[in-house]
Structures are given as structure tokens and as C-alpha cells.
Amino acid sequence: MASDAQSISSLEQEDDIMSCGENEYEIDQHKFLRHWKYCIRSDFASLSGVPATWEDGHPKHWGQEEAKIFLDGEATTPAISPDNQLVAVGIANDIHVFRVDTKERIDVLRGHPGEVITLAFAPSLDGGSIDQPDAPQYLLSSQSEDEGGVHGYVIVWELAQNGKKMSPPKKEEEQPNFAAYHDETGSMHCFPGDLGSFGSQAFSPDGKTMVYVVQNMTSDYYTGQCRYSPCVTLWDVNTSPDSTLAASISWDGTARIWDVLSGRSIHIIGPLGGQLWCGAFSPDSKFLAVSRGGENLIHIYNITTAQQVSLIELPTWCRSMSWSPDGSFLAGGLEIGALCLWDPYTGIEKQRWSLKFDDFMMQEFATIAGAQFVGDRLIFRILEGTVEVYDLDTNLKKQFTRGPDDKISRCPRGEMACSSDFKILIVPDVHRTLRFWTL
């Protein structure tokens, strides 16, 4: 098994090879990472204007993590079980399941012919029986399209409490209600489809509803001709906090709000004149924020009346949004190395955290992703892997990042994952490592 130092050395060597013939007036990911220096243009501050300060011991760099797991390959975004005992990551076509406390690998799940892209644990099924020792845990996985353009499919895995794949059930009635069909062993349930992107939820908060997408494209990329029979196209799917509503965010410029129980469309918002990228429900399920490309706007809609409440103008695309638990702020990660906090009901920007670059073209590779509120703490990630945490209550900030000598030649595939008790942060990196940090 290679050490961190060996991995870094090989990556630096690869980076040098890639730099040959570089055009000094062009910026790509490799050049961005070579010249990347963390520098803040505008930082967070309290409501009274006091600048945020580092919490004791921060920033934290590689080597200061609480623990790490060396992997057999580069990981996708981790998924943490609802009891915070298991973490699953996709590596190529397989899924590796580890124990969070001992870091022991429990099982390797095989079944995807394509590369595993997305993973999600069900919050709780079977009437909330997750605390029962023999209750199964359900892990949802989705693969990418193959080279022929065939859409992926979704697998639902039944895992025992210890993380191992369960044996086939003896009776058909014991199969979960959402199983469409299963493999020859009966140990997993498979069906065509894709999971949503840009922060979409695969399960409703109560764990009773699973959301996925079928026929996830309507037109040919080059000709614009329709490939499939007419269908609702979902590029981003979110369920409301009370589990009664779902919203579909589509490239056709429309957002649709659905009743989860009946499947009935309650409202159609738009067309809004541009591709829609992501959406987010307010904590009380009364409002929906929708991010739009083209003119770069965020629309805030009242779900009951289907009327627009406010309109937020953006300098660039926003593909990551999150409401604060009390609904007073909407956070959005931008594609220019900036994260904003707005009053969602007036559209007024309250704060902007942003990076500084001497070359403005560098900012295009500093996308802010994974914005999420964890209580009063706001967590988000820079494309190159740095994770930022800001506590709105204490005005303190944390950072988990590479050290100045830790070089990488490409950005990591996976984003961070936070445990449901808000104590553990797990971050994958390009060195085939899962790093465990304490929040």
C-alpha cells in the first residue's frame, strides 16, 4: 500500500508531464491546481459586522485528520448510514462498505456493469425499525451511462446492521415495496433509472418514498430531436421536509411540484426562459427556490399560491443551494469561487464569502459545491477539495484542506459527507483516501 508521500510524488511527476506545451493565456484544471493559492477576497462576518475568526486549531491540513482509510481506487461521494455506523463509497464498478468506528472494510458489493456515481442510505424504512437488531438497512446506488449512451440503472441493496449484504429473503412478500425486479440471487433489487443530481435527495426525510428518474433526457445533444416518448424530464429532484411534496427541476425551463401520495402535479412553474439547475424547499415546505441559467437568477416561489416571492440576480450559475433551519437565509454556491447568503423573501444579499484570484479566469475552476446547513453551521466545498465550515451563531470558522506541499493534478470526484449527528465529516481525495474529521 502506497504512503501519502509516495502518492504525492507520483502525482507531482504526472503534473509536470501535463504542463509541457502549456499556453500561458489558457486556464485548465491542471494549470489551476498548479497555481492555486488560498486567498480570501471577502469573508464571513457577524450581523454587527465583526469579521469571522478561526476556531482553535484551524485550519486543519492533511495529516491532522482523526483517521483515514486507504482505498483501492478513487472514491465517489461517501454515504453514511442513518445510525452513523457505516460508510459506503463507490470505487469504479463496486461499492465498498466500511465501519466508521474501526475503519474495517465489511463488504464489497458488486453488480453494476458501469461506474458507480451516486450512493444514498434510506433514512429509515419498515416503520422506523432501524433500531431493531435484525432490521435491514437499505443502500441505493446509481451508475453512469455506458459508452453507447444507454442510461444507467438503480440498485437497492439490503444490508444487515453489520453492513454485510443480506441473504435472499425466503418469501416474496418480504421484498420491499419499491423493488421492481431483482437479480438471480434475490439479494438486490434493480430497475432502470438515474438518481437526481446537484444535491437532490434520493429518499424523502421519513424514508418512505424513494425518488429516481427515468428517461432522463428528452432531446439529442446535437440535433435537438426527441429520443424517447414524451415524459417528465427530471434533472434535479427534491422532496419537501414534510415528505408530502416533490419538485422536479428541468432543463426545459420548468419546475413542477408534485403531490407524493397521488402523483398529481400541483403546480407548473415556467417556462422561465432558461435551463433550470437545482432547487431547494424551505424548512416549512411553503417555498421553493429554483436556480436558473442563462440570465443567472434564483426564483423564490410560494408553493401554495405558485406566485413568485422574490428574484435573486447572480453573477454566474448556482448549482448548490440550502435553506437555514429557521428559513431566514438561503445559501448558494456560485461557479466563481463565491458563496452567498440571501434573505430569500426579499432577495437581498446579506453576506458574500469569496476567493481572490489575480487572474480572473482562475475563478472559473473554483466552483462552490455541496452547500448545506447543519444546524447553525454552513458547510461547503471548493472544487479542489477544501471544505469550509462557518458557524453563524459563534462567528467562528473551520477549514479542512491540503497542506501547502500536498500537490494534486486533478480535482477529486467525490464531495464530503456529514453524519446525521453532525459530529463526523468524511472527505474523499484523489490520493485514494477517505479522511475523517471531527466537526
Side-chain angles (χ1 to χ4, degrees):
M1 183 177 294
S3 67
D4 272 6
Q6 290 172 322
S7 299
I8 292 169
S9 177
S10 64
L11 284 170
E12 287 178 328
Q13 195 171 31
E14 177 187 355
D15 197 37
D16 290 340
I17 294 172
M18 290 178 179
S19 67
C20 295
E22 180 182 272
N23 185 330
E24 63 177 324
Y25 298 106
E26 295 179 355
I27 297 288
D28 59 16
Q29 186 178 113
H30 304 299
K31 187 174 181 180
F32 166 77
L33 291 170
R34 276 193 296 276
H35 296 280
W36 159 257
K37 292 182 180 179
Y38 184 87
C39 184
I40 294 292
R41 180 185 301 275
S42 59
D43 206 348
F44 290 112
S46 68
L47 294 178
S48 61
V50 177
T53 56
W54 291 112
E55 187 162 313
D56 289 345
H58 282 268
K60 287 187 179 292
H61 298 122
W62 287 0
Q64 295 179 298
E65 63 274 346
E66 277 63 45
K68 59 187 173 185
I69 297 175
F70 291 102
L71 306 171
D72 296 335
E74 190 175 348
T76 56
T77 301
I80 304 176
S81 62
D83 60 3
N84 302 315
Q85 299 300 308
L86 305 173
V87 57
V89 294
I91 302 176
N93 296 21
D94 300 330
I95 301 167
H96 295 241
V97 183
F98 299 88
R99 284 197 60 83
V100 170
D101 53 359
T102 65
K103 313 304 181 289
E104 172 192 6
R105 184 165 62 188
I106 301 299
D107 207 345
V108 179
L109 312 178
R110 296 183 171 90
H112 282 287
E115 186 179 28
V116 177
I117 297 297
T118 307
L119 294 169
F121 276 97
S124 176
L125 290 175
D126 298 334
S129 60
I130 196 67
D131 294 328
Q132 298 179 12
D134 59 345
Q137 302 203 60
Y138 294 100
L139 175 66
L140 197 63
S141 63
S142 179
Q143 73 171 52
S144 60
E145 293 183 5
D146 64 22
E147 293 180 356
V150 178
H151 292 295
Y153 63 87
V154 177
I155 297 180
V156 180
W157 308 84
E158 291 184 61
L159 305 182
Q161 289 288 307
N162 63 5
K164 289 186 175 293
K165 184 169 62 176
M166 293 187 69
S167 300
K170 297 179 180 180
K171 298 179 181 179
E172 183 65 25
E173 57 266 28
E174 294 179 14
Q175 300 285 346
N177 292 332
F178 52 72
Y181 56 86
H182 28 92
D183 69 346
E184 294 178 357
T185 68
S187 59
M188 63 185 187
H189 315 277
C190 318
F191 39 87
D194 301 286
L195 299 181
S197 56
F198 302 124
S200 300
Q201 301 300 311
F203 289 96
S204 60
D206 61 9
K208 296 180 180 179
T209 304
M210 184 179 69
V211 185
Y212 65 100
V213 183
V214 293
Q215 297 186 182
N216 200 17
M217 293 181 70
T218 55
S219 61
D220 183 88
Y221 182 82
Y222 297 101
T223 67
Q225 297 299 310
C226 190
R227 284 184 180 179
Y228 305 106
S229 300
C231 62
V232 176
T233 303
L234 313 181
W235 273 96
D236 191 3
V237 181
N238 287 279
T239 51
S240 62
D242 62 8
S243 301
T244 62
L245 302 174
S248 61
I249 312 300
S250 174
W251 273 18
D252 69 359
T254 64
R256 289 170 167 82
I257 300 173
W258 310 83
D259 181 279
V260 168
L261 295 179
S262 68
R264 183 174 60 90
S265 175
I266 300 174
H267 295 301
I268 299 178
I269 300 171
L272 297 177
Q275 293 177 342
L276 305 187
W277 284 106
C278 63
F281 281 103
S282 63
D284 59 8
S285 301
K286 295 181 179 180
F287 299 90
L288 177 69
V290 177
S291 171
R292 167 187 160 195
E295 296 181 31
N296 300 323
L297 301 167
I298 293 177
H299 302 258
I300 309 295
Y301 276 86
N302 183 307
I303 294 173
T304 303
T305 64
Q307 298 297 311
Q308 182 168 289
V309 175
S310 64
L311 187 65
I312 301 171
E313 296 184 0
L314 307 173
T316 185
W317 289 351
C318 173
R319 300 190 185 185
S320 177
M321 294 190 298
S322 179
W323 293 70
S324 62
D326 62 1
S328 60
F329 292 108
L330 176 69
L334 306 183
E335 301 227 328
I336 55 171
L339 182 134
C340 295
L341 288 174
W342 300 282
D343 180 327
Y345 312 106
T346 64
I348 297 174
E349 182 177 306
K350 294 297 186 179
Q351 290 210 49
R352 177 177 296 198
W353 177 97
S354 65
L355 297 166
K356 180 181 179 181
F357 298 102
D358 293 332
D359 184 345
F360 78 94
M361 293 181 66
M362 290 277 286
Q363 66 186 11
E364 303 296 331
F365 293 87
T367 299
I368 303 301
Q372 56 184 289
F373 275 96
V374 179
D376 287 327
R377 288 173 289 181
L378 177 60
I379 304 177
F380 58 96
R381 171 182 168 271
I382 306 170
L383 183 65
E384 52 78 47
T386 296
V387 176
E388 304 276 344
V389 181
Y390 173 61
D391 192 316
L392 278 71
D393 182 44
T394 64
N395 201 32
L396 294 174
K397 56 183 181 177
K398 298 180 180 181
Q399 186 187 75
F400 308 94
T401 187
R402 295 177 284 120
D405 297 326
D406 295 318
K407 304 297 182 182
I408 59 176
S409 63
R410 65 188 184 280
C411 297
R413 294 177 54 209
E415 297 186 8
M416 73 280 186
C418 181
S419 61
S420 60
D421 60 4
F422 312 141
K423 294 181 179 180
I424 301 172
L425 181 70
I426 303 179
V427 184
D429 60 52
V430 297
H431 290 177
R432 300 181 173 186
T433 305
L434 281 184
R435 300 184 190 269
F436 291 69
W437 306 91
T438 298
L439 281 174

